[in-house]
Amino acid sequence: MCAVPAPRVRPRLRGVAEGRPRLQTRESFCHSTVLLMGQRSGRQERSKKPEMSLSENMKAEEEDDREENKELKTKDQRLPLVFGVADLKNGAVGLYNVGQTCCLNSLLQVFLMNIHFTRILRRITVPPYASLKRNNVPYQMLLLLEKMQSGKQKAVSPIDLAMCLSTHRVNMFIQHDAAQLFLTLWNLVKRQMKDQDLVTKLSDLYTICVQEHLACQICSSEMKRNSNMLTLPLPVLDSNSHMLKTLEDCLQCFFHPEELTGHNMCFCEYCDKKTPFLQSMKLVHLPQTLTIHLKRFCFERSTNVYKLSHCLPFPQELDFNAVLTEQQSQAHGSEKAAWRYEIFAVVAHSGSTNSGHYCAYIRSLTECKWYCFNDSTVCQVSWDDVKCTYGHSDLNWGQTAYLLIYMKKHPQ
């Protein structure tokens, strides 16, 4: 049966304001403090059954869990045999839009097409009870992976995972910001993994480490601290609000020292007052899977949010050693030697800040072919098609790259 295309909707885009374009100040880097998005919606229906005592209620829930566990037992036994969507054994599989879930669908495709992520996902501990399984994000992602791999459908429904996310305050029926939803999904997966070895592997797969330097311009005292990030948030405007022309320019701008003056001054313990500081960033560590967030959404002092759609090319291969100077890195030679990447996926946004749509362009790691995942519609594309996401100032509804996912190249 042919896949029914998702209805064309132009949902509200929420959570896209990211700072004034004039300054493009750096944001907080600690991923452990990421807030969950969305709110619970709808009313709870009152039960028509007579109220039970606490012990009776617990027994009833345990009985329900046992019944549901019987139904899931066979499926759970099959889970270790899942090879992963990235192998594309039955062709690329789409995801139906079940309520403005184009953002979620795009991110799920990026996660599940990453064989390094699915290797970790396939090793999770299956929750013991049905109620726990329903609310466990990594387990529901694993079920979706199995469903996409084992069937012959051109598209499947992510409704079970979407309902699971709604219990964690990630609502359906609203449009999410892809960068924020990526952080939310990753944190939920990490939080619900019981095996600490897998948690470590997940962190190693995605975590970026930078060293922040703050130098007082009066007494020359210096403070250093290491910060971990899941995405590298790159400005697309420089400090004078000029449009940056390439991804390499954005990287240089992010790691370029910034003067903190006026109300941006910091308190100096040695001067015992607020003083001008020089802030700089040094790159310490890059992971296997590198996620770059292009800060396309900005707001002015009037709080009007707008999208920066100008053309910003990004390369197929990216060598950080050729982009950053010696002063912009704080790493050993063996670490820096591995800072060579090739593009793996692009999450693109079309539309404006008020309405829009997400899709994902992903390169199969086994076939080395590019696919466009647009909800339930999946088609093979070329690199020239991917380059159409560079952006164009005159095409407000055109596709614009928002998240870039690079994969570390293996040494020859």
Side-chain angles (χ1 to χ4, degrees):
M1 184 174 63
C2 296
V4 180
R8 296 180 61 87
V9 294
R10 293 183 176 180
R12 297 281 299 178
L13 185 63
R14 298 185 53 178
V16 294
E18 301 191 15
R20 299 175 184 173
R22 181 177 61 85
L23 292 177
Q24 290 284 332
T25 56
R26 298 184 177 99
E27 56 198 53
S28 172
F29 299 139
C30 184
H31 64 258
S32 63
T33 59
V34 176
L35 297 178
L36 298 185
M37 299 170 56
Q39 298 176 350
R40 296 183 181 181
S41 63
R43 297 178 298 179
Q44 293 184 348
E45 296 182 359
R46 293 185 178 181
S47 174
K48 296 181 181 180
K49 298 180 180 180
E51 294 185 1
M52 296 185 292
S53 66
L54 180 60
S55 60
E56 291 175 332
N57 194 27
M58 291 177 63
K59 290 180 180 178
E61 289 183 359
E62 291 176 359
E63 183 63 29
D64 290 341
D65 280 342
R66 281 195 291 270
E67 291 298 323
E68 291 190 51
N69 280 325
K70 289 179 181 178
E71 298 176 3
L72 293 170
K73 185 176 181 180
T74 304
K75 182 175 289 186
D76 289 342
Q77 292 173 344
R78 294 201 311 267
L79 291 180
L81 302 177
V82 178
F83 288 96
V85 177
D87 296 314
L88 296 177
K89 293 177 63 179
N90 297 322
V93 180
L95 294 171
Y96 287 113
N97 191 316
V98 293
Q100 299 187 14
T101 56
C102 61
C103 181
L104 175 63
N105 290 347
S106 299
L107 293 176
L108 288 175
Q109 296 285 13
V110 172
F111 275 118
L112 299 181
M113 287 287 288
N114 185 343
I115 57 178
H116 306 290
F117 175 79
T118 56
R119 284 171 185 163
I120 298 173
L121 190 66
R122 291 197 300 269
R123 291 177 55 193
I124 66 171
T125 302
V126 175
Y129 301 112
S131 57
L132 295 178
K133 293 175 181 177
R134 286 194 298 269
N135 297 329
N136 188 276
V137 175
Y139 175 74
Q140 290 299 328
M141 289 182 72
L142 187 58
L143 286 182
L144 182 63
L145 176 68
E146 192 261 352
K147 188 176 179 181
M148 296 171 75
Q149 180 63 28
S150 61
K152 296 183 179 180
Q153 311 99 311
K154 293 299 182 181
V156 298
S157 173
I159 185 64
D160 291 337
L161 176 57
M163 295 300 294
C164 170
L165 291 170
S166 68
T167 66
H168 298 284
R169 304 182 65 83
V170 183
N171 249 0
M172 298 169 59
F173 310 116
I174 64 170
Q175 183 65 282
H176 294 281
D177 174 61
Q180 293 181 6
L181 186 56
F182 169 79
L183 297 176
T184 301
L185 284 173
W186 192 93
N187 279 313
L188 284 171
V189 171
K190 179 185 177 184
R191 187 185 310 159
Q192 293 186 307
M193 279 187 175
K194 302 301 181 183
D195 189 332
Q196 288 304 309
D197 179 59
L198 295 184
V199 171
T200 301
K201 291 182 181 297
L202 182 66
S203 297
D204 292 343
L205 181 59
Y206 286 96
T207 303
I208 307 159
C209 183
V210 298
Q211 189 174 82
E212 182 180 1
H213 289 244
L214 284 172
C216 177
Q217 299 297 88
I218 302 299
C219 68
S220 299
S221 63
E222 189 175 16
M223 295 179 290
K224 301 178 183 179
R225 69 173 183 180
N226 284 357
S227 299
N228 291 332
M229 302 179 292
L230 288 178
T231 64
L232 201 58
L234 300 186
V236 296
L237 300 176
D238 64 15
S239 58
N240 297 315
S241 296
H242 296 149
M243 295 180 180
L244 296 171
K245 297 181 179 180
T246 65
L247 180 66
E248 292 86 346
D249 291 340
C250 297
L251 285 166
Q252 274 289 337
C253 184
F254 180 81
F255 287 98
H256 187 75
E258 180 181 1
E259 292 185 359
L260 304 179
T261 59
H263 40 263
N264 290 322
M265 291 192 301
C266 301
F267 183 83
C268 177
E269 294 181 355
Y270 299 96
C271 298
D272 199 29
K273 63 179 181 179
K274 284 189 174 184
T275 61
F277 270 74
L278 184 67
Q279 181 190 41
S280 61
M281 292 287 176
K282 293 187 177 183
L283 189 57
V284 177
H285 171 74
L286 288 174
Q288 171 69 38
T289 301
L290 173 64
T291 305
I292 295 176
H293 170 204
L294 298 178
K295 299 174 69 175
R296 288 282 192 176
F297 298 101
C298 296
F299 68 89
E300 297 174 321
R301 293 181 181 179
S302 61
T303 69
N304 288 331
V305 183
Y306 66 97
K307 180 181 175 182
L308 299 166
S309 300
H310 66 276
C311 182
L312 185 71
F314 46 87
Q316 286 183 276
E317 297 190 358
L318 180 61
D319 186 354
F320 278 78
N321 295 295
V323 177
L324 303 183
T325 64
E326 289 292 330
Q327 292 73 28
Q328 292 172 329
S329 64
Q330 186 70 34
H332 299 293
S334 57
E335 166 71 28
K336 294 171 65 176
W339 286 358
R340 298 176 64 245
Y341 287 81
E342 54 187 343
I343 192 75
F344 164 64
V346 178
V347 176
H349 175 266
S350 57
S352 64
T353 56
N354 294 323
S355 56
H357 180 72
Y358 284 103
C359 69
Y361 293 86
I362 306 174
R363 180 174 58 86
S364 168
L365 296 178
T366 54
E367 292 183 326
C368 295
K369 296 178 181 178
W370 280 96
Y371 291 88
C372 176
F373 294 83
N374 189 357
D375 286 335
S376 59
T377 302
V378 182
C379 60
Q380 188 177 334
V381 295
S382 66
W383 172 245
D384 287 335
D385 295 315
V386 181
K387 291 195 295 184
C388 291
T389 65
Y390 284 173
H392 197 293
S393 298
D394 297 330
L395 299 176
N396 292 330
W397 273 93
Q399 289 185 357
T400 306
Y402 189 47
L403 295 181
L404 303 176
I405 297 88
Y406 280 85
M407 201 72 71
K408 186 174 287 187
K409 294 186 67 175
H410 294 291
Q412 298 295 330

